[in-house]
Amino acid sequence: MSMSMSSFGFLPFLILLIIGSCVGRPLYPLPSTVSDGDKQPLQTSRPYNLAHRGSNGEFPEETTAAYMRAIEEGADFIESDILASKDGVLICHHDVILDDTTDIAKHKEFADRKRNYVVQGVNTTGWFVVDFTLEELKTLGATQRYSFRDQQYNGKFPIITFEEYISIALNANRIVGIYPEIKNPVFINQRVKWADGKKFEDKFMETLEKYGYRGSYRSKEWLKQPAFVQSFAPSALVYVSNLTDLPTILLIDDVTILTEDTNQTYYELTSDSYLDFLSNYVLGIGPWKDTIVFPTNNYLDAATDLVARAHAHGLQVHPYTFRNENSFLHFDFHQDPFNEYDYWINKIGVDGLFTDFTGSLHTYQEWASPLSSQNKDGTSKLVKKIASLIASFKRG
């Protein structure tokens, strides 16, 4: 069901923006104060609309505004990358460096904090999240990653914590799942140490357990608070599979790239023998979409058999990342993201889609496979209205 800004409430949104600037304070009370019985359930009849870092086509990624917008637009799950601050607080941020998506370059007080570390075998220079406390990170403003997207919100929203992200999902007025990633666990465990001797993966799972995230896929517990746990690191997922029965997803990068932990290529990880091994630990895979259908000169080649083979092993497939801009759309789709959604859902047969534009995916799905007769009636009325307008235009 689509939700307008008025239905979500502008006043709570404004209050959240104010509260969001407070250090270490959840955006809402935790656990949720909203009764589960009053919430619309998660839809499970069509591929999942996965809000990639929130609705970051509109707002800076991994911010309160991006996640709330995604919920407003109809996302089934809000996705986040989880890292750790110097003082061991789990935060939402995609890159291990702060350079590309915060205004840290404007903070002269941190000019001497630039470092060079090896990340996944690559010498990387920048301001690293692991060199800043949460209090310091909260002084930074998030910025839009892509210059061709709306820049008006740059610097207006702070970095948020894992707990704040959870609070946004739990306090939505319908059931909204979370899809957090154990991001760069090898690097984080090298640079951040916790007093109790536990590691990043332990802290990550303890947070989910603390706020009631448990249960196998589609179990009663899971449907109450849905969550997928994802990572590019296969050993991290094998490790957490012994800590939880939550469904896990192995992310798949470009087939030539090595994993950060097992030193295998992602090509090796998509072999039948490895998919068979994975099926004991994960619910599915999350491949970069160009590893499923390779492009040549921005046109799609014939699809590989990766989706079919994954399904044969009982694995779901949630590819990334779907973006509306022409620079990300292959020529086959004629500058129309609806054509791309149709191709991946109906021809390739994926089980979920990571998108920067949750609203457009939701609109497509409500048009193509509405969840209720009420939606069907609404769609029918809209089609009739459009037809009437076209007819009157022709008569004129």
Side-chain angles (χ1 to χ4, degrees):
M1 296 287 198
S2 61
M3 300 167 61
S4 65
M5 176 62 84
S6 59
S7 66
F8 195 85
F10 178 76
L11 185 57
F13 181 82
L14 182 60
I15 293 171
L16 278 172
L17 299 188
I18 297 171
I19 296 177
S21 64
C22 300
V23 175
R25 182 182 301 172
L27 296 171
Y28 292 100
L30 279 169
S32 171
T33 57
V34 182
S35 171
D36 294 321
D38 298 332
K39 292 186 177 184
Q40 176 187 337
L42 177 74
Q43 74 79 22
T44 56
S45 62
R46 64 191 188 192
Y48 293 124
N49 183 336
L50 310 171
H52 183 242
R53 309 177 203 167
S55 186
N56 78 86
E58 300 176 67
F59 290 97
E61 63 189 45
E62 318 250 26
T63 59
T64 301
Y67 291 125
M68 291 188 67
R69 180 62 168 164
I71 293 171
E72 176 197 11
E73 291 180 329
D76 299 315
F77 289 80
I78 51 175
E79 186 263 355
S80 183
D81 307 273
I82 308 302
L83 293 168
S85 65
K86 181 179 181 179
D87 48 345
V89 180
L90 303 190
I91 63 166
C92 298
H93 200 259
H94 180 268
D95 303 348
V96 292
I97 59 172
L98 298 158
D99 304 44
D100 295 332
T101 54
T102 75
D103 58 5
I104 192 165
K106 295 180 179 180
H107 289 254
K108 304 303 181 186
E109 69 273 25
F110 299 137
D112 64 347
R113 297 281 189 94
K114 270 199 171 184
R115 300 287 185 272
N116 180 274
Y117 294 135
V118 176
V119 183
Q120 291 186 243
V122 178
N123 281 313
T124 305
T125 300
W127 288 280
F128 286 80
V129 295
V130 294
D131 291 325
F132 294 82
T133 65
L134 177 63
E135 184 175 4
E136 291 171 329
L137 290 172
K138 283 286 190 180
T139 66
L140 307 178
T143 58
Q144 177 56 255
R145 180 180 296 273
Y146 297 108
S147 61
F148 47 80
R149 290 182 177 171
D150 193 345
Q151 304 293 308
Q152 67 173 308
Y153 302 109
N154 287 350
K156 298 186 184 301
F157 306 107
I159 289 173
I160 65 173
T161 66
F162 192 9
E163 288 190 334
E164 288 171 328
Y165 157 77
I166 288 172
S167 76
I168 294 171
L170 287 183
N171 286 277
N173 61 2
R174 60 186 175 86
I175 291 180
V176 175
I178 61 171
Y179 207 130
E181 178 183 346
I182 303 171
K183 189 74 176 182
N184 291 110
V186 172
F187 178 78
I188 294 299
N189 282 318
Q190 287 172 343
R191 299 292 170 182
V192 181
K193 303 299 178 184
W194 284 270
D196 56 11
K198 293 186 177 179
K199 61 181 186 175
F200 180 34
E201 293 93 321
D202 296 311
K203 293 297 183 180
F204 181 100
M205 295 310 305
E206 284 175 2
T207 304
L208 291 177
E209 178 69 23
K210 178 180 179 181
Y211 295 112
Y213 287 97
R214 59 181 69 92
S216 58
Y217 182 59
R218 292 205 184 185
S219 66
K220 183 177 180 180
E221 283 184 306
W222 187 86
L223 288 171
K224 181 180 176 181
Q225 289 184 209
F228 290 107
V229 174
Q230 59 172 333
S231 185
F232 281 100
S235 62
L237 294 180
V238 171
Y239 181 85
V240 302
S241 71
N242 294 312
L243 304 177
T244 184
D245 53 357
L246 286 172
T248 58
I249 303 290
L250 177 65
L251 300 172
I252 305 294
D253 209 333
D254 184 286
V255 293
T256 63
I257 291 177
L258 294 174
T259 65
E260 64 182 283
D261 53 341
T262 63
N263 205 37
Q264 296 167 287
T265 66
Y266 285 99
Y267 179 79
E268 294 176 80
L269 268 56
T270 58
S271 67
D272 276 323
S273 59
Y274 202 85
L275 291 178
D276 189 52
F277 164 77
L278 278 177
S279 64
N280 297 305
Y281 298 99
V282 306
L283 179 78
I285 58 174
W288 180 34
K289 60 184 181 179
D290 282 4
T291 65
I292 299 174
V293 186
F294 299 120
T296 301
N297 298 323
N298 208 34
Y299 285 97
L300 295 179
D301 291 337
T304 68
D305 63 352
L306 178 57
V307 173
R309 289 191 297 107
H311 284 166
H313 286 87
L315 300 172
Q316 291 199 14
V317 182
H318 300 170
Y320 64 91
T321 302
F322 293 83
R323 298 178 169 114
N324 284 11
E325 293 97 350
N326 292 341
S327 56
F328 294 116
L329 285 169
H330 297 303
F331 293 148
D332 309 69
F333 303 123
H334 309 290
Q335 302 181 0
D336 186 347
F338 277 28
N339 286 338
E340 184 178 36
Y341 295 142
D342 183 69
Y343 172 83
W344 283 91
I345 292 173
N346 295 313
K347 184 172 182 178
I348 303 301
V350 299
D351 307 288
L353 302 89
F354 288 100
T355 177
D356 288 0
F357 293 89
T358 47
S360 65
L361 176 53
H362 182 75
T363 299
Y364 166 77
Q365 290 198 287
E366 285 294 277
W367 170 75
S369 53
L371 294 177
S372 69
S373 58
Q374 180 181 354
N375 287 341
K376 291 177 183 177
D377 292 343
T379 302
S380 177
K381 289 177 181 177
L382 178 59
V383 171
K384 289 177 181 177
K385 185 174 182 180
I386 293 171
S388 175
L389 289 171
I390 292 172
S392 63
F393 175 77
K394 288 181 178 177
R395 285 196 298 271

